[in-house]
Amino acid sequence: MNVLLPDTLPQALELLSQNGDAVPMAGGTDLMVHWHVRPEAHQHTFVDLSRLEALKPLSWTADMLVLGGLTTYWDVIRDERTREEFPLLVDAARQVGAIQIQARGTWAGNIVNASPAADGVPVLMAYDAIVVLESRRGREQVPLDRFYSGYKQMRRRPDELIVAIHVPRRRYSYQVFEKVGSRRAQAIAKVGLAVTRSDAGWRVVAASVAPTIRRCPTVERLLETGAAVASPSDLLPAIAQDVAPIDDIRSTAHYRTRVMARLLYHDLRDFWGK
Amino acid sequence: MLRREALAKLTGRERYVDDLPLDDFLWGMTVRSPAPRGRIASVRFGKDIDWSRFVVVDHRDIPGPNVVALIEQDQPVLAAESVRHVHEPVLLLAHRSRAAVRSAARAVEVVVAEEPAALDFRAVPAPAQIQYGKDNVLKHLKIEKGDVERALARAPVVVAGTYETGAQEHVYLETQGMIAYLEGGVLVVKGSMQCPYYVLKALQHALGRDETRVRVIQTPTGGGFGGKEEFPSHIALHAALLALKSGRPVKLIYDRGEDMAATTKRHPALVRHRTGLARDGRLLAQDIEVVIDGGAYVTLSPVVLSRAIIHAAGPYACDNVRITGRAMFTNAVPFGAFRGFGAPQSQFAGERHMDVIARTLGVDPVELRRVNLLKDGQTTATGQVIRDGTDRVAVMERALELARYREKGHEHAGFNATHPTMRRGMGLATFYHGAGFTGGGEAALKSRLRVAGRADGGVEVLSANIEMGQGTLTVFTELAANRLGLEPDDVIIAEADTTRVPNSGPTVASRTTMIVGGLVERACDDLRRRVGLDDASRGQAVKDAIRRWHREHPGEPPIGEAAYERPPGIEWDDKTYRGDAYGAFAWAAYVTEVEVDLRTCGARVIDFVAVQEVGKVLNPTLARGQVQGGVVQGIGWALMEECKWQQGAMANNQLTNYLIPTSDDVPPVRVAFVENPYPHGAGGAKGLGELPIDGPAPAVVNAVARATGTDPRAIPVTPERLMELMENAVRG
């Protein structure tokens, strides 16, 4: 195992540009889960970001919340203002693992781990978050809902680091986060759902029902157009357009689809057209 | 008093086997079968590794018979020509570096010429799958009372039902682990275990050593639940073989993945009931068939089956009972001891069936139980006359009252009619658990125990029964201190070291307090007599007499002894399965309230009341803890703990995918005891450890059935399964 310990962001970016297959390490919580059963991972070069103090704080500007590349779930849970303006971030953060994981795990790490069952990604996506990537060649911004291209596939080059996540400040008239696991805490989502409504319109984001976390444009359109929905099964055709759940060790495609329909139907009861 | 080992555990100072200092040792690792059945065609060693730097052990290195001695001598220490299950141990490796031995184990390929495996214990095996006897049946057992066929033919109503229970993983916090080394000519094996003398016997047998050349020491054990009853003999033998071959100390510690994949679990079971009833619900005939999955070797399956069938008829009076049991051979990783030992499986079926009967007859489940619960003077299925003075109906009434069962029933009717997405229901189970070894088992064990007087006037209890979190150290301390009028600090409990402690039997079967605790008391009495005191002497008089003895007999401490004696009037016939199956039964009624979310089909237990009669409660804190722990384990088994099988081995062998309840998944468990001292148990106590795992699953599933109008027959009732049941109910 080879661990590189940059002191500054430029150093980190330099190391990433020199070591094409190096793995950036933030909180390390996803790496550690599989550490002892994936010995092949031990051969990697890791770039430990823990000294990059500048990436740690979260901050506010006039029109957005800025999460740093190393901002943790706990940082968000502790932030009064986030709780008021982006309560789903706090809801989701509280459902990640246990407190120890919440204290170490980072939002950027959650994004690049690219798990279809992530807890942090759906709420960020429902708030139209923008991923800020930086490399020695410069910065680029990618909307989170266009960041993934397939299972564990994403628009991040190996030399790039997520240095910030921008969350635009808006007035939300509706927002909800649902996580369905096989138990009430410390579980991996079998179905996740983040729904928001603002001047920008409805956002419906689903987790654990497709190869990536993704928005559900067909369901969003039903909400925008006030289409008549009289039961959960009325939503099934739209859901089938938007997601592609599978049977796996945690659940079944049938269950995932039905639960998604029921959560959407019951949670949004006041908004479906009659 | 403060729990004996509480501070060491709270402060992290307790040293489990993996924490023990060990000089110049090797890490051991096990190479296992990739296939469920077949001939070992070859074992290939990877070319990139310098194998001369590893200690390699296979079946040819075993000095004695290649057998892990238990009920049948059928299970090899290391597979020789063939394998019978995935993860069967084939080869052992050791090296100074844990990382090196891990990668080396992955570089060994066991090539198996596969043969047809039997993987479903419920199916009749095809001829090519037969591997044990004529029909793959490891054990047949039968209980008969009265004339079942005649009674069924005459019964006004007959209700039939089939029920299934899944395997369960123990999830002890400390995984299996052993160290082994030579001390002169003596092989020392230390580790996490419930039964030091089982390990000793297995080592002696396979290594061809007498007891003067083997020493087994139990280390502080982080949970067992039966998982450390028979399995530690395997890992002890493996560590010992590596230590003998290398001449160096060897440490063999399973990580969680290996532990979950390769060690025993609770036996899956299928139970069929056919019950003849009078119109008012009185039981006229019970015809019960119990089938359990034994896995690829006999292990303890015959005795698990025995306990399963003895408990299958429930705590009810019925004149005509037939219970047949079969333990099936399959090519699954062998199943083994787990808290309850067959009784949770057969009582899940029995108590679920009681609610199915109630629904079929249109009677109240409470009334159905009330008319059938055993009254003093009536007999169990084996013909054991129950006459202990416990009012079993009163135990049930107490639980119903504490849970507000009837009021809640009315509240739920209103709630369920109006709530858009939630449904609530109450569930009840009445059940029992026999303590100690079955039938003549305790007499055959011939348990012995000693209490020695120390030079300072205090005493030392020498027993092979161990602490694994359940409180043995504390209870034995209290029993000895109370018996002799000493302070708890005057009592020490000896380390369970087979060169020092006599064989007081295994720490299993809810026997430690009731039976071995009785030996503690009697050995204290014997000690008092040895030092010349009468039975009334207590406290300072005892200490003075012990000190005097030491002055008069330097180097020869006074020793009190006790050996098990069968309580008077207990008779058991193992051939006919008639008689007194247990010295005592503990009785219980559990009531639970469950809430089901119609959106997710997830069931959540929101209230739990556990009332039991366990004789005299010796230590209320420990007793409550045992009940609460058992209830949580039972809720997990009922609702979420599910082994996913692939070729007879667990595919979800991680704690991220095999989920046990968190504190947020269970309500406060409200515990109450009805006390009715048992004259032959220590301090009036009956066995308690296993009782609380028997009742939660049927109580919870009965409540789920009530809340949702479904009829679940198999556990775990996962949300996925409940969704299917609810959809089918709507369609049907």
Side-chain angles (χ1 to χ4, degrees), chain A residues 217-228:
Chain A
T218 320
V219 176
E220 288 174 2
R221 240 181 340 267
L222 291 180
L223 285 161
E224 299 290 359
T225 58

Side-chain angles (χ1 to χ4, degrees), chain B residues 176-204:
Chain B
Q176 304 268 358
M178 284 295 162
I179 54 182
Y181 54 91
L182 282 161
E183 213 167 54
V186 178
L187 172 71
V188 183
V189 175
K190 284 185 177 180
S192 191
M193 65 182 78
Q194 292 174 233
C195 314
Y197 275 90
Y198 283 10
V199 175
L200 181 73
K201 183 181 159 196
L203 289 168
Q204 284 178 240

Side-chain angles (χ1 to χ4, degrees), chain A residues 1-5 15 19 21-25 35 41-48:
Chain A
M1 184 169 91
N2 188 18
V3 180
L4 306 172
L5 256 176
L15 289 170
N19 300 272
D21 55 356
V23 180
M25 185 169 84
W35 188 252
H42 303 192
Q43 309 311 318
H44 286 142
T45 293
F46 294 94
V47 179
D48 179 348

Side-chain angles (χ1 to χ4, degrees), chain A residues 183-184 250-251 254-255 262, chain B residues 600 657 660 665 720 727:
Chain A
R183 65 180 170 201
R184 293 176 55 82
R250 284 184 209 112
S251 191
H254 179 86
Y255 177 83
R262 292 171 189 194
Chain B
T600 61
N657 289 326
I660 61 172
D665 294 286
E720 284 79 2
E727 287 174 350

